[in-house]
Amino acid sequence: MQNFVGREEEVELFRRALSGVPSAPSVIVLHGPGGIGKSALLQRYAVEARSAGRPVVSVDTRTIYPSPAAFEQAATGALFQDDCVLMVDSFERCRDMEEWLRNRFLPRLPTGVLVVLAGRLPPGPLWRTDLGWRDLMRVVPLSELDADEAAGLLAGQGADPTAHRELLGFAGGNPLALRLAAEVAAHGSTDGTVWEPSRAVTEQLLSHLVGDLPSPAHRHALEICGHALDTTEDLLRVVLPEEDATQLFAWLRQLPFVRSGRYGVYPHDVIRDSLDSDFRWRDPDRYMAMHRAVRRHLVERIRNAPEREALRATGAYNYIISRTSWIRKFRGSRDEGGAYEDTPRPEEAAELVRMTREIEGEQSAAAVEYWLTRQPESFKVHRRYSSNELLGFMAWLRVEWPDADMRRADPVAAEAWDAVSVMAPPRHGEHVNIARFMVHRHTPHRPSRAWDLVHMRIIFELLRARHCAWSCVVMADPEFWEPLMTYMDMFQPPGRSGRTPGLFCHDWRAVRVDEWAEGIDVRLLGGQPEKPAEEPKGVSVALTRAEADAAVRDALRNWLDPDALAVSPLLKFRIIEADDGSKAVAALQEVLNKAVQRLQDNPRTQHLHAVLTMTFQSAHTQEAMARRLNMAFSTYRRYLTRAIDEVQERVWLWETQGHVPD
């Protein structure tokens, strides 16, 4: 059979069944998602059967009416030939008559008949619980082709070898996707541009693999599943608040091309990519609305969940903002072995220094040794899943002031501090974060699965930072990485020396987290950036952070007293957009009201809202207030402190961002 590759175990099982080996089954059930190669394997079985002198009766249930009478008529030949091979394709269409087939039709077949059933869904549980059938049948789930088999299929289809990596990156091991992609690539360009599936390929795949859907709600759920890294009931409930998330999730779980994993359900890669690409092309506005809803959910988890859960959410966030073809060259290959992030062990410090010396030289090694002593908690190592091999490491440094020791030990970090300080120096209580080293043994300064962990850690730290003025990333080969850094809204500051040619920065006082994430959303649909990011307009405020926090606390004490608020230092803030005294006080009260209301709107801080409002809108002592709230005084004080911190953080964010959200 021309261009048939792989499936050696499945073919060997069929040959044993043809030969009548005692342990071989008399019924073989093949199941797997559309395009996985069930029909091609049945054709190979037919060739094997005829070569062995066995007659073949084929029934494709897509061409008959799904009834016992129509099925029996199509399969009549198998009832009268005791050496026949009966092959049934698209067996999922027989679900309503499985009982008849199992109990009425198949028992009437002559003893020597070999039966092969192929469908998208596995057989129902009654097949497995029936002792008679359990001994006679073998259920065979068909998986994707492995990398060598997929490459062999592409070669057999005549695909240009230079395009194999892109074709495999899209199609994975799905035979139908490989054949369609190879056919299109054979007539396309191989001039070094990134290959993408044509619209015709995507449409054919979705038509064959997904088919018609029960309702618009089911389509929306599948679109979310095609975009998110993992889909859960919780995610469906957030993005589709008007729909029955439980019912939709149950439907997703039973789809033949959707897998269940540790963190939710997800489609096969080729189906996921086709769903996402088609949705983005078909309805970009609704696609972006869906993406933003998923993104907000993930960012909220990153910023507020415990670290382990937040890291998982960061991986999911990094995934959805990478759903565009040009970013593929900055990500590790699916064919690589997996890697995971870990905390370095104390005895590994010397190895990290030695690895740095071998890859980056003595000066970097000395800097690693310095920071391992000063900030060991800043280091993260990357290990291979299969062997725990140490692949490399990175550090996320926190610099509050570059003292003389630091300047001598790490001139690169010192220059990063100096570069951002020239533009907008950190204020009292603020700091600078610097991503340093990114040393990897096998893939120095080039994409890999381990480098994907670097990107994830950087985004995690960016979104979790508090009181951070600047984030900096020091990258070797800045020309290669610049498009990705621009996409992440990080720019190269002017006037740098040759020591740090790959310094990229972001000022969080000029572009805060929400605005930063919105900018990435916009660029997601815009293609690869055509020019580097530029320094944003500088931001200055009239108060230091400490002064602003003290002023917010005083303003809360005088919340309902216009005369006291009339002398508040907060009236100097840009967000108080009023010149007249009474209007300025009213504007300040409105800012406080909105900041306090955010406590009520966020489930994470709802319990703090009553503590704050009752405390500052009452003349009772704090001890009396704790009794009214039915709280231990220590609990009340802890809640009040946290509530004030939340309001201070919100007011400072709005001032440095330059506006108060509606």
Side-chain angles (χ1 to χ4, degrees):
M1 184 176 167
Q2 188 177 13
N3 293 335
F4 184 87
V5 298
R7 309 302 187 198
E8 286 86 356
E9 292 184 9
E10 292 83 357
V11 171
E12 180 58 29
L13 173 66
F14 183 73
R15 287 172 178 166
R16 292 174 54 241
L18 279 178
S19 302
V21 175
S23 61
S26 57
V27 177
I28 299 174
V29 182
L30 309 172
H31 71 89
I36 204 65
K38 300 182 295 293
S39 297
L41 185 54
L42 287 181
Q43 293 173 23
R44 176 59 183 268
Y45 281 0
V47 171
E48 294 281 340
R50 293 188 180 103
S51 297
R54 302 278 294 268
V56 175
V57 175
S58 298
V59 179
D60 187 341
T61 62
R62 291 171 298 183
T63 64
I64 65 171
Y65 187 76
S67 70
F71 184 93
E72 184 165 334
Q73 181 179 3
T76 298
L79 293 169
F80 305 105
Q81 302 178 80
D82 60 5
D83 62 344
C84 170
V85 177
L86 172 62
M87 297 189 181
V88 181
D89 202 357
S90 301
F91 182 62
E92 70 274 3
R93 290 173 56 86
C94 298
R95 299 291 280 191
D96 292 338
M97 54 182 186
E98 269 195 39
E99 182 179 359
W100 169 84
L101 192 70
R102 183 178 61 251
N103 297 329
R104 303 284 297 278
F105 179 79
L106 293 182
R108 293 165 52 201
L109 295 176
T111 304
V113 172
L114 174 59
V115 179
V116 183
L117 309 175
R120 297 189 175 195
L121 304 174
L126 292 179
W127 291 87
R128 299 174 183 270
T129 57
D130 188 308
L131 295 180
W133 283 114
R134 190 174 64 185
D135 294 337
L136 293 174
M137 71 187 296
R138 181 74 58 82
V139 178
V140 181
L142 292 185
S143 58
E144 295 184 338
L145 301 177
D146 64 30
D148 291 338
E149 292 168 344
L153 190 151
L154 289 177
Q157 295 289 113
D160 186 338
T162 63
H164 277 198
R165 179 174 180 179
E166 288 79 10
L167 297 176
L168 291 171
F170 161 71
N174 184 285
L176 175 63
L178 287 163
R179 293 181 190 278
L180 290 174
E183 180 181 346
V184 172
H187 300 91
S189 170
T190 57
D191 58 2
T193 59
V194 176
W195 181 89
E196 292 188 68
S198 67
R199 186 55 43 199
V201 167
T202 300
E203 290 174 355
Q204 287 185 63
L205 280 173
L206 293 178
S207 175
H208 187 85
L209 306 184
V210 177
D212 295 330
L213 299 173
S215 73
H218 291 82
R219 174 173 292 281
H220 299 336
L222 191 57
E223 289 165 347
I224 295 167
C225 193
H227 186 65
L229 181 61
D230 298 292
T231 299
T232 60
E233 273 192 40
D234 182 42
L235 181 62
L236 293 176
R237 196 173 294 113
V238 168
V239 184
L240 302 174
E242 305 301 321
E243 307 294 347
D244 185 342
T246 300
Q247 186 271 330
L248 292 174
F249 184 75
W251 172 77
L252 285 174
R253 291 182 70 176
Q254 58 84 36
L255 292 176
F257 52 83
V258 171
R259 302 168 177 170
S260 294
R262 181 178 179 183
Y263 300 102
V265 298
Y266 58 96
H268 289 258
D269 286 337
V270 65
I271 300 173
R272 181 203 293 274
D273 291 344
S274 297
L275 285 166
D276 200 58
S277 171
D278 179 72
F279 186 22
R280 186 187 313 179
W281 166 80
R282 176 169 43 84
D283 194 342
D285 289 342
R286 196 163 62 82
Y287 176 90
M288 183 52 66
M290 177 273 295
H291 166 83
R292 284 193 172 112
V294 175
R295 183 260 296 169
R296 292 186 185 109
H297 174 68
L298 293 175
V299 169
E300 172 68 19
R301 288 173 58 198
I302 295 168
R303 291 181 65 79
N304 299 305
E307 181 166 341
R308 184 179 295 274
E309 181 184 345
L311 276 170
R312 177 64 191 173
T314 304
Y317 175 71
N318 199 25
Y319 182 82
I320 66 169
I321 64 173
S322 303
R323 302 307 307 272
T324 181
S325 59
W326 70 267
I327 290 184
R328 289 179 196 159
K329 75 173 186 176
F330 299 104
R331 299 184 63 83
S333 170
R334 291 171 178 171
D335 297 333
E336 288 183 62
Y340 68 97
E341 183 188 82
D342 194 14
T343 301
R345 302 158 190 158
E347 64 271 18
E348 291 177 320
E351 174 62 19
L352 300 188
V353 174
R354 183 165 50 251
M355 185 186 301
T356 307
R357 183 177 293 112
E358 293 172 356
I359 296 173
E360 295 196 347
E362 189 61 46
Q363 186 180 67
S364 287
V368 168
E369 191 169 21
Y370 168 82
W371 287 114
L372 279 169
T373 302
R374 292 282 292 268
Q375 293 185 20
E377 71 282 358
S378 299
F379 285 77
K380 300 296 178 182
V381 298
H382 309 126
R383 307 187 196 277
R384 196 182 301 281
Y385 267 120
S386 58
S387 62
N388 286 328
E389 174 193 0
L390 180 62
L391 299 172
F393 69 94
M394 70 163 293
W396 182 260
L397 306 174
R398 177 188 175 107
V399 182
E400 297 180 358
W401 182 258
D403 59 26
D405 288 344
M406 194 206 90
R407 288 185 177 276
R408 282 192 298 269
D410 191 356
V412 171
E415 185 170 348
W417 173 279
D418 293 341
V420 299
S421 295
V422 167
M423 295 180 287
R427 296 176 292 246
H428 179 70
E430 296 177 336
H431 64 274
V432 173
N433 283 129
I434 307 173
R436 281 285 277 130
F437 309 120
M438 283 88 86
V439 176
H440 287 84
R441 196 189 309 275
H442 304 302
T443 55
H445 310 298
R446 275 297 180 270
S448 67
R449 297 289 287 276
W451 269 83
D452 291 346
L453 297 174
V454 171
H455 302 159
M456 184 182 75
R457 171 55 61 174
I458 290 174
I459 290 175
F460 172 84
E461 298 291 355
L462 293 181
L463 292 175
R464 298 268 287 195
R466 295 291 189 272
H467 303 168
C468 177
W470 289 90
S471 291
C472 302
V473 178
V474 180
M475 303 285 281
D477 195 357
E479 185 176 352
F480 175 81
W481 292 104
E482 186 174 68
L484 183 62
M485 293 293 100
T486 296
Y487 183 63
M488 302 304 295
D489 198 33
M490 303 196 81
F491 67 94
Q492 291 187 279
R496 303 176 316 281
S497 74
R499 187 184 298 127
T500 55
L503 175 64
F504 295 88
C505 307
H506 182 90
D507 183 353
W508 292 106
R509 298 158 301 178
V511 181
R512 300 294 294 186
V513 167
D514 292 342
E515 186 181 356
W516 176 80
E518 287 284 348
I520 292 177
D521 291 347
V522 172
R523 291 187 288 276
L524 180 66
L525 293 180
Q528 181 170 333
E530 296 182 356
K531 62 179 183 178
E534 298 177 350
E535 178 185 352
K537 183 179 180 181
V539 174
S540 60
V541 294
L543 304 177
T544 67
R545 177 62 194 268
E547 291 169 341
D549 285 350
V552 168
R553 179 183 287 272
D554 288 341
L556 288 171
R557 291 194 183 100
N558 299 300
W559 196 349
L560 304 180
D561 184 351
D563 292 336
L565 289 180
V567 296
S568 171
L570 296 178
L571 296 179
K572 302 175 184 178
F573 271 11
R574 295 177 302 151
I575 53 175
I576 308 303
E577 298 178 350
D579 296 327
D580 179 79
S582 60
K583 290 182 179 179
V585 168
L588 175 56
Q589 288 177 317
E590 180 63 18
V591 167
L592 294 173
N593 290 338
K594 287 187 175 182
V596 172
Q597 183 60 37
R598 289 298 180 96
L599 296 175
Q600 178 68 25
D601 294 342
N602 188 339
R604 182 180 63 85
T605 57
Q606 281 178 348
H607 61 292
L608 306 178
H609 182 264
V611 173
L612 187 76
T613 54
M614 292 179 67
T615 296
F616 291 122
Q617 293 183 0
S618 168
H620 293 289
T621 65
Q622 292 189 354
E623 290 83 357
M625 193 59 60
R627 289 194 297 271
R628 290 189 63 185
L629 291 167
N630 195 28
M631 289 181 182
F633 187 63
S634 60
T635 301
Y636 164 81
R637 292 281 296 173
R638 187 171 68 254
Y639 281 10
L640 179 60
T641 298
R642 186 179 166 199
I644 294 171
D645 286 346
E646 291 281 344
V647 173
Q648 289 170 335
E649 181 71 25
R650 183 64 56 183
V651 172
W652 182 257
L653 184 153
W654 289 342
E655 170 61 14
T656 53
Q657 187 171 325
H659 73 280
V660 179
D662 294 331

